[in-house]
Amino acid sequence: MKKIIGNFKMNKTNSEIKEYIMNFVSKVDKSRAEIILCLPSTALSTAKYLLDGSGIAIGAENLCDEEGGKNTGEVSGEMLKDCGAEYVIIGHSERRVKYRENNRSINKKIKIALKNRIKVIFCIGESLAEKNLMKTAEVLKTQLEDALKGLYENELENIVIAYEPVWAIGTGKIPMNKDIEDAVKTIRKVIADDFSNKAAEKIEVVYGGSVDNKNCGSISKIKSINGLLVGGACLDPINFCQLIRDTKA
Ligand code: 13P
């Protein structure tokens, strides 16, 4: 079954998410996909309460790269876990660009998430300039190798890699299916070289970037991807339910 992950980004108040979830749960066809809602931290406790026993998983969108204490304004892995987060997005390009996250801090965040038994949705992808210079494979390799440094092979079971070309996020532009396939091939080759062929086959890779109701059917036909990471198109519950229905299982 494919994973469909909604990334709410910095959208919706706690009350709005409460309303969203009540609407969504009553309409969504859960047999179509494994659904994960990645929400702002302010809404996690509410979501934990409302989604308990629903089979829909909750994710956070970020965590601190340190474990406790003197980090005013940050949220720790332990706090997220306690609020119901089963997943956390790490390395999103919006955080890499706007909050200057680098592969070193991303590596620390991944280790902290795993230590707290939170699965990681690890985002990688090339910028438009890098794509134009045909550097996609090189960029993906560096992002993967730097962020996965020091991990054991069995820990990859708790990591989902999200291939999100930066130029495709929020732009309405998407790569050709062939380009997504090539990127996924690169990702699996890096995992095979650095871990094992078995790990490369098993690791889950999802695609994100301008996924919507019109293109989800075609993108989800790509055999080598294990799901979709959806931004803007997840924000309306009815729309998102339809997208889940239209995604190829
Ligand atoms: P959009 O689907 O809005 O392009 O966002 C993608 C994304 O950043 C998901 O993490």
Side-chain angles (χ1 to χ4, degrees), residues 4-248:
I4 301 189
I5 308 164
N7 176 7
F8 280 52
K9 309 194 179 186
M10 199 171 75
N11 289 296
K12 297 196 189 289
T13 62
N14 192 33
S15 340
E16 286 166 343
I17 287 180
K18 188 172 171 190
E19 199 184 320
Y20 179 106
I21 289 176
M22 292 195 307
N23 212 341
F24 182 72
V25 170
S26 67
K27 298 189 176 66
V28 71
D29 179 356
K30 287 181 288 184
S31 69
R32 303 285 304 167
E34 189 187 335
I35 302 161
I36 303 156
L37 301 181
C38 294
L39 305 169
S41 9
T42 44
L44 292 175
S45 291
T46 303
K48 179 185 180 186
Y49 174 73
L50 293 173
L51 291 173
D52 188 33
S54 70
I56 297 170
I58 303 168
E61 299 177 12
N62 183 33
L63 85 170
C64 183
D65 66 2
E66 290 185 16
E67 290 206 76
K70 297 174 183 167
N71 286 294
T72 302
E74 291 286 325
V75 180
S76 73
E78 187 185 8
M79 291 169 184
L80 294 179
K81 181 74 185 178
D82 181 60
C83 285
E86 290 161 71
Y87 288 84
V88 61
I89 296 175
I90 296 178
H92 195 283
S93 66
E94 286 156 15
R95 297 211 56 87
R96 289 180 194 258
V97 175
K98 291 192 193 168
Y99 301 95
R100 297 188 197 87
E101 281 188 15
N102 56 37
N103 291 337
R104 201 169 150 266
S105 72
I106 290 168
N107 176 257
K108 283 167 75 183
K109 288 184 180 204
I110 291 177
K111 287 177 177 162
I112 289 174
L114 295 176
K115 188 172 164 195
N116 284 284
R117 287 171 291 109
I118 304 175
K119 293 181 184 160
V120 173
I121 299 161
F122 167 43
C123 301
I124 55 174
E126 79 285 2
S127 66
L128 186 59
E130 289 161 343
K131 171 182 150 63
N132 290 339
L133 289 168
M134 310 229 281
K135 286 192 164 173
T136 301
E138 189 186 319
V139 169
L140 297 180
K141 183 172 157 64
T142 307
Q143 289 177 337
L144 280 167
E145 292 194 331
D146 288 356
L148 301 181
K149 208 170 266 168
L151 294 189
Y152 295 104
E153 182 170 329
N154 65 352
E155 293 180 297
L156 298 184
E157 283 168 18
N158 293 315
I159 297 181
V160 178
I161 296 174
Y163 171 55
E164 289 209 308
V166 181
W167 55 270
I169 296 175
T171 58
K173 293 183 185 140
I174 51 164
M176 312 276 282
N177 278 8
K178 164 86 176 65
D179 293 335
I180 298 178
E181 278 167 21
D182 286 348
V184 176
K185 240 184 240 167
T186 301
I187 291 168
R188 293 196 193 278
K189 171 142 183 21
V190 174
I191 301 293
D193 291 346
D194 293 357
F195 294 91
S196 72
N197 286 335
K198 195 168 150 221
E201 269 168 41
K202 268 175 64 182
I203 192 130
E204 291 185 292
V205 184
V206 301
Y207 169 80
S210 291
V211 175
D212 63 21
N213 295 51
K214 289 195 198 89
N215 60 33
C216 64
S218 153
I219 301 173
S220 56
K221 273 192 202 135
I222 301 173
K223 287 213 177 63
S224 56
I225 62 164
N226 305 93
L228 302 171
L229 174 53
V230 184
C234 80
L235 292 175
D236 176 80
I238 308 298
N239 200 55
F240 196 33
C241 288
Q242 186 63 48
L243 188 152
I244 290 166
R245 259 195 300 274
D246 292 343
T247 296
K248 197 170 156 28

